[in-house]
Amino acid sequence: MLPINEESTNVERVELPNRSEANDIEQLKKKYQGSGEKVFVIENSITVDDDTTEQYIFLFKKPKPASYDRYLKLINNSMSNASRAFIMDNIVEEIKPQISEALEEYPAMSISLTEKLLKMLGLADTTTVKKL
């Protein structure tokens, strides 16, 4: 999760400790792509109030079917816990502390992040059916 504080637009981003946003993301992308894993950057903007928006940037590995199966098993008990577990299964290790902190402050963020992860596995925005 990475931030820039732009006072003119009231956008606040959260930055990984002692690293620039672009360099950190690029280093992590190279690390995980070098291992043959597919990685994705997910940007999430939270509108805190009418004057404040916080922007978060996370790097995820493409979810594996086993992670999706765990998500489906947990969702019957608690959608919130299932979403959080699915996110933690698929976030890159280096960003786990930052995403945990963000989810503590903004628990509903897990819903939008989970939706994006599910789309990586084939969840469609639109599906149509026609009677023949």
Side-chain angles (χ1 to χ4, degrees):
M1 127 180 112
L2 313 169
I4 292 177
N5 195 356
E6 300 175 11
E7 292 181 35
S8 62
T9 59
N10 293 323
V11 173
E12 184 179 329
R13 292 186 180 186
V14 183
E15 198 165 328
L16 291 175
N18 303 319
R19 297 184 182 156
S20 74
E21 177 179 335
N23 287 340
D24 191 59
I25 289 294
E26 287 306 314
Q27 287 174 350
L28 290 173
K29 280 200 288 190
K30 285 179 186 176
K31 175 185 174 181
Y32 285 92
Q33 287 174 335
S35 68
E37 291 191 69
K38 291 184 179 178
V39 291
F40 298 86
V41 174
I42 297 179
E43 295 185 26
N44 196 347
S45 296
I46 308 284
T47 304
V48 178
D49 57 41
D50 290 342
D51 298 326
T52 309
T53 299
E54 291 185 17
Q55 173 117 12
Y56 292 88
I57 300 172
F58 301 110
L59 192 65
F60 285 90
K61 299 174 280 185
K62 182 177 180 180
K64 299 203 176 353
S67 177
Y68 176 67
D69 289 343
R70 279 190 297 277
Y71 170 73
L72 290 178
K73 287 179 185 176
L74 291 172
I75 201 164
N76 287 328
N77 295 327
S78 167
M79 183 176 179
S80 176
N81 289 342
S83 294
R84 187 177 179 91
F86 191 53
I87 289 165
M88 297 308 280
D89 270 355
N90 297 294
I91 191 82
V92 298
E93 285 296 319
E94 293 82 352
I95 299 180
K96 279 188 177 183
Q98 290 81 10
I99 200 164
S100 290
E101 184 180 309
L103 291 173
E104 286 297 317
E105 187 169 352
Y106 302 110
M109 180 191 295
S110 65
I111 296 169
S112 57
L113 293 174
T114 298
E115 179 187 1
K116 294 298 181 189
L117 292 171
L118 291 172
K119 286 183 179 188
M120 291 177 201
L121 294 174
L123 178 67
D125 285 330
T126 305
T127 303
T128 59
V129 176
K130 292 184 181 181
K131 183 177 178 183
L132 301 177

